[in-house]
Amino acid sequence: MRVVKKKVLVDVCGPVDLSGDEGWVAFDAPALVGASLRFVSGEPDGNRYRVRYYRDAEQQLRARIWFGPETEGPPGHSHGGAMAAVLDEVLGLAAWAAGHRVVVGNLNISFRNLLPLEEVVTVESTVISAAGRKVMVHGRICLGETVFAEAECLCITLPGK
Ligand SMILES: CCCCCCCCCCCCCC(=O)SCCNC(=O)CCNC(=O)[C@H](O)C(C)(C)COP(=O)(O)OP(=O)(O)OC[C@H]1O[C@@H](n2cnc3c(N)ncnc32)[C@H](O)[C@@H]1OP(=O)(O)O
């Protein structure tokens, strides 16, 4: 019987620059929502995502995110679900940062360009409206003029919270 040993791939990725634009102020997500957001932002030195949050001059939430080798989908590029997870977290968090205690009810994403791995990109978010329990947040993952994914996110406030 042939025994094939499981191969363990260990990528060693060096430090990445997640610094913000001029005028951005660091934003402490765990201080606002607790430490539960481990899937996307829980491993600041890991090989999945590395994330740093900011508010821009208009107080909108921004994120600098590095998509590491463990987010791979199409060869050499990010999995669409990896981009979706980022948009879920950042756009939901944007509603929290604007004072709404929400979960994401609907997330509608268009994937516009393949996102190369080990790229540092920006996630922009804008709170569009808040009416009753519904908070609409728009956002996109981009680098310069290139948009990798854009999303409309309907957040619903949690009753009784
Ligand atoms: C628990 C503590 C959480 C702490 C989190 C901290 C970190 C968070 C950081 C954030 C980052 C992480 C982010 C994440 O990862 S959040 C994780 C991913 N999201 C979820 O798992 C959410 C699961 N879904 C739910 O919990 C419920 O369905 C919610 C709460 C959303 C609504 O169920 P609920 O029974 O409460 O309300 P309702 O059904 O009476 O609806 C109320 C209104 O909303 C409208 N509507 C509802 N759904 C949709 C929809 N899909 N499209 C269009 N509309 C929708 C509905 O028509 C109605 O409108 P109207 O008829 O009044 O006009």
Side-chain angles (χ1 to χ4, degrees), residues 9-82:
L9 287 174
V10 179
D11 284 296
V12 180
C13 298
V16 296
D17 180 8
L18 297 174
S19 54
D21 284 0
E22 201 177 324
W24 290 10
V25 175
F27 176 79
D28 186 348
L32 177 64
V33 299
S36 68
L37 299 180
R38 288 175 294 167
F39 182 67
V40 171
S41 44
E43 291 179 8
D45 302 312
N47 285 339
R48 191 167 61 240
Y49 309 99
R50 301 182 194 176
V51 184
R52 202 172 295 165
Y53 283 110
Y54 300 91
R55 280 190 200 265
D56 70 8
E58 282 77 44
Q59 300 301 302
Q60 301 287 357
L61 192 70
R62 296 282 178 264
R64 281 281 202 253
I65 302 197
W66 173 83
F67 282 76
E70 291 176 10
T71 67
E72 188 170 32
H77 296 84
S78 168
H79 194 292

Side-chain angles (χ1 to χ4, degrees), residues 29 32-37 53 84-97 100-107 131-136 153-159 161:
L32 177 64
V33 299
S36 68
L37 299 180
Y53 283 110
V86 162
L87 288 163
D88 180 49
E89 173 163 324
V90 178
L91 303 191
L93 190 58
W96 278 74
H100 308 283
R101 298 173 61 85
V102 300
V103 287
V104 172
N106 179 269
L107 183 61
R133 293 181 58 201
K134 298 177 186 175
V135 181
M136 180 58 75
C153 179
L154 175 65
C155 302
I156 308 292
T157 56
L158 295 162
K161 303 265 179 171

